[in-house]
Amino acid sequence: MSDFVLSCCSTADLSKEYLESRNIEYICFHYELDGISHLDDFGTTISLPEFYAAMAAGSETSTSQVNISEYMDFFERKCREGKDILHISFSSGLSGSFNSAKNAANICAERYPERKIIIIDSLAASSGYGLLMDKAADLRDEGMNIDELAAWVEENKLKLHHWFFSTDLTFYIKGGRVSKAAGVVAGILDICPLLHVDREGHLIPMEKVRTKKKVKLQTLKKMQDFAEGGEAYSEKVFISNSACLQDAMDVARLVEENFPNMNGKVKINDIGTVIGSHTGPGTVALFFWGKSRAEE
């Protein structure tokens, strides 16, 4: 048993059961649905099908990060238990939660000088962030101590690839990420934008692909182009989706057919309420290990 806590934010978009099975602790973001505040609690309070159905029906959503006092409560509780902490945070390119965690850790370090609290910016999102956490749990279980694991994560986190596409731009337009005019044109031409997370942890558009079928194939091509070891890729692959399971399954099938040496089957997860508040239904994301984003 390790002598430190490995933790993340709920925006890693793995299920509560999966995180608990890997002994990964977590702290929840928040979201509002029609003005009512909820914890991003993996669909416990409001199921994800209900959440996405509400969005599709016109409900208003917004999100908020974990604040300093919440991080303080979490870190202090673990310090009182005699545990050191390695907390890997949601990308600083998408949220201010990393800074909140760092500030809370600095305060706790003064109160508990005998404890070690390490905060790392994942520069990752959704189940890509989850894939990073899963690998960290593997290495912890293989015997890495807190300092070794922190060093490994810092050295390797930019090798994690995120490739997203969306077949419904309604909420990208609503949130200002896509202009209304561009959204109208995309709808007429059946364009599905392909995006990725860059080396600074920002979600950026990369290509405009016509038709859902072609964007699935182009997502596969990104893995063929960038995956560690090429067709001999032997690590895990995660996919997340927002209420479009069949599209996610189609991409998973393509990956499994083209990468026979990968570690197990593709794991398909749900995009949670925080990231889903911004994407809406219809987004699929593929995550794998490959060439470092630092080289882009």
Side-chain angles (χ1 to χ4, degrees):
M1 181 68 70
S2 65
D3 59 355
F4 64 93
V5 170
L6 176 63
S7 63
C8 64
C9 308
S10 58
T11 43
D13 285 350
L14 298 176
S15 70
K16 178 181 178 180
E17 292 75 19
Y18 193 84
L19 288 169
E20 290 175 350
S21 75
R22 297 309 320 271
N23 192 25
I24 300 170
E25 302 209 23
Y26 55 86
I27 185 164
C28 294
F29 270 58
H30 308 263
Y31 71 99
E32 286 191 4
L33 184 64
D34 289 331
I36 300 174
S37 182
H38 304 279
L39 278 179
D40 177 32
D41 59 3
F42 311 98
T44 301
T45 303
I46 297 175
S47 74
L48 292 174
E50 289 176 309
F51 171 77
Y52 285 115
M55 288 190 77
S59 291
E60 295 292 328
T61 61
S62 62
T63 62
S64 58
Q65 66 190 42
V66 183
N67 61 43
I68 293 177
S69 64
E70 290 171 310
Y71 277 120
M72 282 289 299
D73 290 344
F74 178 76
F75 294 156
E76 283 202 287
R77 187 165 67 251
K78 299 307 171 185
C79 287
R80 288 195 296 268
E81 293 172 2
K83 293 283 189 177
D84 293 334
I85 303 161
L86 173 56
H87 179 77
I88 304 174
S89 83
F90 186 42
S91 173
S92 63
L94 298 170
S95 165
S97 59
F98 170 67
N99 287 330
S100 295
K102 285 285 288 184
N103 290 334
N106 290 337
I107 296 169
C108 279
E110 293 178 359
R111 297 180 182 180
Y112 301 90
E114 74 282 7
R115 298 267 62 88
K116 183 177 293 185
I117 307 172
I118 301 174
I119 311 297
I120 294 178
D121 182 357
S122 70
L123 298 175
S126 193
S127 295
Y129 178 16
L131 185 56
L132 178 63
M133 295 306 305
D134 187 72
K135 183 68 173 181
D138 286 341
L139 296 172
R140 174 205 60 198
D141 293 348
E142 291 170 8
M144 276 195 182
N145 63 37
I146 188 170
D147 294 306
E148 292 168 334
L149 183 53
W152 187 94
V153 171
E154 286 286 15
E155 183 178 350
N156 290 278
K157 64 187 181 183
L158 287 179
K159 294 178 182 178
L160 190 63
H161 279 248
H162 311 58
W163 290 95
F164 293 71
F165 68 83
S166 182
T167 58
D168 183 348
L169 297 183
T170 302
F171 293 92
Y172 290 83
I173 296 168
K174 195 172 183 178
R177 290 167 179 79
V178 175
S179 72
K180 189 172 183 179
V184 169
V185 172
I188 293 171
L189 298 179
D190 197 16
I191 290 173
C192 302
L194 184 63
L195 309 92
H196 89 146
V197 173
D198 68 10
R199 61 187 177 186
E200 295 178 343
H202 301 120
L203 182 62
I204 60 171
M206 296 297 291
E207 300 177 21
K208 298 175 182 177
V209 184
R210 292 191 67 179
T211 79
K212 184 190 293 189
K213 180 178 180 180
K214 288 181 181 178
V215 79
K216 291 173 184 176
L217 292 172
Q218 188 65 2
T219 302
L220 170 67
K221 186 176 185 303
K222 295 302 180 183
M223 185 167 176
Q224 291 171 324
D225 290 344
F226 296 113
E228 184 178 82
E231 292 182 358
Y233 181 82
S234 59
E235 294 284 348
K236 294 179 183 178
V237 176
F238 284 2
I239 286 176
S240 61
N241 79 102
S242 55
C244 51
L245 180 59
Q246 185 58 58
D247 292 333
M249 291 173 65
D250 290 344
V251 175
R253 175 181 54 78
L254 289 170
V255 170
E256 290 170 359
E257 288 174 353
N258 286 272
F259 294 91
N261 298 313
M262 58 181 287
N263 184 353
K265 296 287 187 179
V266 174
K267 179 172 176 53
I268 298 177
N269 305 293
D270 292 310
I271 293 176
T273 53
V274 169
I275 295 174
S277 290
H278 302 284
T279 68
T283 293
V284 175
L286 172 67
F287 310 101
F288 57 89
W289 295 95
K291 176 183 176 181
S292 176
R293 287 179 275 151
E295 299 173 18
E296 296 173 355

